[in-house]
Every structure is written in structure tokens, then in C-alpha cells.
């Protein structure tokens, strides 16, 4: 399967992704990366966005995604940065996949920190060093369904997790703070015992769904959605194109 590019980082190990989809796997997307992909002689047929950089590195620009769509390239998004951008751009033809995308699209989630995590460097496989809020929400909801903890305790734990900076979120930290705040010890003990097998990684599941959606799309003829807008080449856009061209290009698309 050729012509597919996926921006991937801590959400899903690359070896797991490769079992789902034959594609060129690139590091988390940053501003200018999609411009550079689209400037190649052999443009990708489809781009998938899972992970992206932010804070210290400018995030992928909405307009470069729109440019890719205007060039007849299908752009998929899920899980993390991909879900955020797809929720914002699905009216213009970006293809969102998964529960996280749907929650942002429908307004049930609004804060970017819901999907943010801190992670290790590329050479260590982007190992996750914190837990995404969306994963904590799903896991606590499952714990209630499995009758591990009552719904009120889940709401307390969710509130504790949400109040933490995204870099500090993790089940261990949440459980310690909950104990300090008087949450019943037996309930926390039951949850701690259940977590190793019960915790759910919604971001990882959504990433897999996106890769499968891209595989089906390619197998069914690889027809990109029609652009639902007119792309304006503004002065700011031309400046972004010049700046992106001055940087080194990434891996070749297979």
C-alpha cells in the first residue's frame, strides 16, 4: 500500500501501527510539516494525523491541512492533535475518526489538555510519561460499570485529575491525592487492584481505528473527499511556504 503518511508519536508504538497499516510513519506533526509533504513531486494520497507537537514548537497550522485537502489529499485525524484538528476542520473535508474526535466535534470535550501528555524522546520511542485525561475519564467510567467504585467516587477522582497540570497526571498521583482528601481507602484499594487489567487507553484505540479507516479507504479506491471551500493563497500563506521550504525535508513517502 503506497502513498500513505501518518504522523505518530507516543499514542501508539510504531510496530503496532505497522501491523494495522503499511504507511510512512513520521514524527509528531509540527507547523510546516504538511506544507513540505504537499510540496514533493510525489504527494501522498492520504495523510493521517495522530500526534502533534505544541507549546515549545508551533503546532500544525489549520491552513496547511486545508491546503492538503484542496490538493486532493485525504486527511484523517484521531486520538490527539489529529482529533483536535479534525473536530475543527471536519466541515471542510477532514476525516475524523474515533470517540475522542466525536467528543470534541459534539462539544462534550473542549480543552486541548484532555489529550496532552508528556513523553520521552524519539530515540526511546516517545515513551509516555503522563496519562491523558481522556484515558482517565474512560477508565473511571469503566470502573463504575464494573462496580469497582461508585459513580460519586469516580467523579471525585475525575475532578482531582482534571485539576492537575497535564504533565503531572497519572493514576498513582490521583490515588494519593484522593487518599489525602478522604476518599474511602477500601474504594481506592479496589481501584488500584483493578487498574492493571481494567485501565483503557482511548487514545490508542482511536489511533488504531484511524489506521484501519485509512486501510479501508485505500482498498476501496482511494478517492479523496471533495474540498468544500476555496483555498486563498494569502501573503501569510506564501510566507509560510517559503519558511517551510528552507527547512530539511522529512522521510520519503513509500
Amino acid at each position: 500500500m503506497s502513498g500513505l503518511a501518518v504522523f505518530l508519536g507516543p499514542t501508539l508504538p510504531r510496530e503496532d501501527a505497522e501491523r494495522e497499516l503499511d504507511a510512512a510513519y513520521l514524527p509528531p506533526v509540527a507547523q510546516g510539516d504538511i506544507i513540505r509533504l504537499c510540496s514533493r513531486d510525489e504527494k501522498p494520497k492520504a495523510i493521517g494525523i495522530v500526534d502533534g507537537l505544541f507549546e515549545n514548537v508551533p503546532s500544525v497550522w489549520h491552513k496547511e491541512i486545508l491546503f492538503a485537502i484542496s490538493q486532493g489529499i485525504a486527511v484523517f485525524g484521531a486520538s490527539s492533535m489529529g482529533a483536535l484538528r479534525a473536530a475543527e476542520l471536519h466541515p471542510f473535508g477532514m476525516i475524523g475518526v474515533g470517540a475522542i474526535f466525536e467528543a470534541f466535534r459534539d462539544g462534550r470535550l473542549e480543552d486541548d489538555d484532555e489529550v496532552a501528555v508528556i513523553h520521552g524522546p524519539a530515540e526511546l520511542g516517545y515513551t509516555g510519561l503522563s496519562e491523558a485525561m481522556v484515558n482517565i475519564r474512560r477508565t473511571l467510567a469503566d470502573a463504575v460499570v464494573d462496580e469497582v467504585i461508585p459513580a460519586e467516587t469516580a467523579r471525585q477522582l475525575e475532578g482531582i485529575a482534571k485539576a492537575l497540570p497535564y504533565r503531572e497526571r497519572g493514576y498513582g498521583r490521583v490515588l494519593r491525592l484522593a487518599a489525602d482528601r478522604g476518599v474511602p481507602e477500601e474504594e481506592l484499594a479496589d481501584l488500584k487492584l483493578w487498574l492493571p487489567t481494567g485501565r483503557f487507553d482511548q487514545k490508542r484505540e482511536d489511533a488504531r481505528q484511524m489506521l484501519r479507516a485509512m486501510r479501508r479507504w485505500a482498498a476501496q479506491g482511494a478517492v479523496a473527499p471533495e474540498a468544500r471551500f476555496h483555498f486563498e493563497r494569502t501573503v501569510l500563506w506564501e510566507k509560510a511556504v517559503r519558511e517551510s521550504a528552507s527547512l530539511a525535508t522529512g522521510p520519503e513517502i513509500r
Side-chain angles (χ1 to χ4, degrees):
M1 196 176 295
S2 63
L4 306 180
V6 178
F7 291 97
L8 184 67
T11 294
L12 182 68
R14 180 168 174 166
E15 57 269 24
D16 290 357
E18 289 173 338
R19 285 194 284 269
E20 299 287 353
L21 180 70
D22 179 18
Y25 287 95
L26 312 179
V29 69
Q31 191 174 109
D33 287 344
I34 292 179
I35 296 175
R36 286 188 287 278
L37 275 184
C38 295
S39 68
R40 292 175 171 170
D41 292 335
E42 291 190 20
K43 299 179 178 63
K45 296 177 182 177
I47 296 170
I49 302 174
V50 175
D51 293 304
L53 301 177
F54 62 103
E55 283 191 342
N56 297 327
V57 177
S59 299
V60 60
W61 194 17
H62 297 74
K63 188 147 187 172
E64 57 188 305
I65 296 174
L66 294 176
F67 178 69
I69 294 171
S70 75
Q71 296 296 298
I73 299 170
V75 184
F76 294 76
S79 299
S80 196
M81 181 66 74
L84 298 176
R85 290 293 182 263
E88 296 156 341
L89 297 177
H90 74 94
F92 302 97
M94 188 172 177
I95 304 166
V97 180
I100 298 169
F101 155 71
E102 292 171 359
F104 277 104
R105 178 197 63 193
D106 299 342
R108 289 179 281 119
L109 291 178
E110 296 181 347
D111 300 332
D112 291 0
D113 80 296
E114 289 281 336
V115 298
V117 297
I118 184 172
H119 57 80
E123 51 268 28
L124 296 180
Y126 301 106
T127 305
L129 302 175
S130 64
E131 188 65 73
M133 189 65 211
V134 288
N135 290 346
I136 294 174
R137 289 186 190 279
R138 170 60 191 269
T139 295
L140 292 175
D142 287 352
V144 173
V145 171
D146 289 351
E147 299 183 344
V148 178
I149 54 173
E152 177 56 33
T153 297
R155 283 192 288 271
Q156 287 180 270
L157 297 175
E158 196 173 290
I160 290 169
K162 183 64 175 176
L164 289 170
Y166 80 88
R167 292 173 173 268
E168 299 177 16
R169 286 188 186 129
Y171 292 107
R173 180 74 184 278
V174 171
L175 291 173
R176 289 192 296 273
L177 289 172
D180 292 343
R181 298 180 190 185
V183 176
E185 290 183 9
E186 61 274 17
E187 293 179 8
L188 296 179
D190 288 344
L191 180 61
K192 186 175 181 180
L193 187 64
W194 173 87
L195 276 172
T197 56
R199 64 194 296 178
F200 190 85
D201 194 328
Q202 188 67 63
K203 289 182 68 176
R204 185 163 294 187
E205 174 60 24
D206 284 10
R208 287 194 177 104
Q209 287 188 30
M210 188 199 78
L211 298 176
R212 292 165 190 163
M214 292 179 71
R215 189 177 67 211
R216 289 193 300 271
W217 173 85
Q220 293 167 0
V223 178
E226 183 178 352
R228 306 167 193 169
F229 57 91
H230 171 69
F231 187 83
E232 291 286 347
R233 293 178 175 270
T234 62
V235 172
L236 184 60
W237 169 254
E238 297 299 342
K239 180 175 182 289
V241 170
R242 289 194 300 273
E243 290 176 350
S244 68
S246 68
L247 300 175
T249 58
E252 291 298 320
I253 302 304
R254 294 185 283 114

